[in-house]
């Protein structure tokens, strides 16, 4: 990414917009489904009947050729319906109205970089819209150097973390690992952040609906239509692949892990944001 197309920069943000912002493969789909249900009375029936890509707009692509709602759909979104926006853009590439003092409510999800990198690698292997990522050891070097589509994971994640530090009223930040550790607790916090009053039963219904086993079987969230269209090769890897913390251990060699830990320690030495790399007990 070198610069943002003008039409994205100019997108008008509405005061009741909900924006889910992530580095790709950090748990975007998971958070989108949680957010949509929290804002729609835990209507799991409608969520199952309508694909997530038709309930959430994807702002990053002005000429969206894939299925679902792109920039134009976001611009034309009915004024009387709450708008849901997904983005993977680094902060400096966001629409102008989101960059410094964001309007609407923004939820950022970040994932520990080792698992994020592994998930991205499998995604690029199976997604025919990406060039083949090549061998794992080269991809890991590219990821560490920020020579991948979204640029540096470190810059991306820290940019959103800083935005969150400055605007906690309308920016929420959560990690993939925290969602795994206590999904119900996080759903409750997200409902509070979005100022939606939900009953205990509704929170339970959302938590159940958003488990990995449920979302990976659900056609509205598992991207099986992209597989049917030949865009995602599910025989290479599923979109809902494992959904775990710690799968990086099956990919990193001892030396790769040592080098990554050194890079991570150096790049995050001034961060207040900390990640878990192991699954919770
Ligand atoms: S994308 O293409 O950037 O929007 O992908 P994204 O949705 O951010 O990330 C996909 C990974 O998130 C996992 N996932 C989940 N894990 C646990 N529980 C639930 N409910 C869930 N939903 C999605 C998905 O399996 C991908 O991770 P990996 O590690 O590849 O399995």
């Amino acid at each position: 990414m070198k610069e943002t197309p003008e039409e994205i920069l100019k997108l008008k943000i509405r005061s009741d917009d909900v924006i889910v912002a992530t580095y790709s493969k950090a748990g975007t789909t998971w958070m989108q489904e949680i957010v949509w249900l929290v804002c729609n009375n835990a209507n799991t029936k409608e969520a199952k009947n309508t694909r997530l890509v038709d309930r959430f707009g994807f702002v990053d692509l002005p000429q969206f050729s894939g299925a679902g709602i792109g920039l134009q759909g976001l611009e034309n979104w009915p004024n009387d319906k709450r708008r849901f926006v997904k983005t993977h853009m680094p902060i400096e590439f966001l629409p102008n109205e989101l960059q410094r003092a964001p309007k609407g409510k923004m939820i950022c999800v970040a994932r520990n970089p080792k698992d994020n990198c592994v998930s991205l690698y499998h995604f690029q292997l199976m997604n025919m819209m990406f060039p083949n990522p090549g061998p794992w050891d080269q991809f890991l070097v590219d990821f560490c150097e920020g020579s991948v589509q979204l640029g540096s994971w470190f810059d991306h994640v820290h940019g959103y973390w800083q935005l969150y530090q400055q605007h906690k009223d309308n920016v929420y930040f959560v990690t993939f690992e925290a969602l795994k550790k206590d999904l119900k607790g996080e759903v409750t916090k997200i409902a509070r952040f979005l100022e939606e009053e939900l009953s205990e039963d509704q929170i339970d219904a959302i938590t159940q609906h958003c488990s990995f086993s449920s979302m990976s079987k659900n056609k509205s969230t598992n991207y099986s239509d992209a597989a049917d269209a030949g865009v995602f090769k599910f025989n290479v890897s599923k979109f809902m692949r494992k959904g775990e913390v710690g799968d990086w251990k099956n990919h990193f060699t001892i030396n790769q892990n040592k080098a990554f830990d050194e890079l991570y320690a150096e790049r995050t030495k001034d961060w207040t944001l900390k990640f878990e790399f192991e699954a919770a007990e």
Side-chain angles (χ1 to χ4, degrees), residues 123-215:
F123 184 61
Q124 294 200 192
L125 279 176
M126 70 82 148
N127 184 345
M128 296 302 109
M129 293 198 292
F130 277 99
N132 187 295
W136 159 249
D137 49 358
Q138 183 56 48
F139 185 79
L140 178 57
V141 170
D142 293 345
F143 182 85
C144 290
E145 290 175 349
S147 305
V148 286
Q149 192 202 29
L150 292 172
S152 162
W153 176 92
F154 296 97
D155 295 342
H156 194 291
V157 167
H158 203 235
Y160 280 101
W161 176 251
Q162 286 176 310
L163 192 76
Y164 165 63
Q165 295 300 318
Q166 290 151 16
H167 302 282
K168 287 193 179 168
D169 283 350
N170 62 332
V171 181
Y172 187 76
F173 193 105
V174 63
T175 63
F176 183 97
E177 295 75 27
L179 291 170
K180 282 293 287 187
K181 196 170 177 182
D182 180 13
L183 183 55
K184 183 174 174 182
E186 287 303 333
V187 170
T188 307
K189 287 187 203 161
I190 288 158
R192 201 175 308 138
F193 170 71
L194 293 173
E195 297 170 63
E196 295 287 345
E197 277 196 29
L198 297 177
S199 68
E200 190 74 11
D201 283 354
Q202 287 176 312
I203 297 278
D204 283 338
I206 295 173
T207 306
Q208 202 287 321
H209 177 101
C210 292
S211 67
F212 181 78
S213 67
S214 166
M215 280 185 65

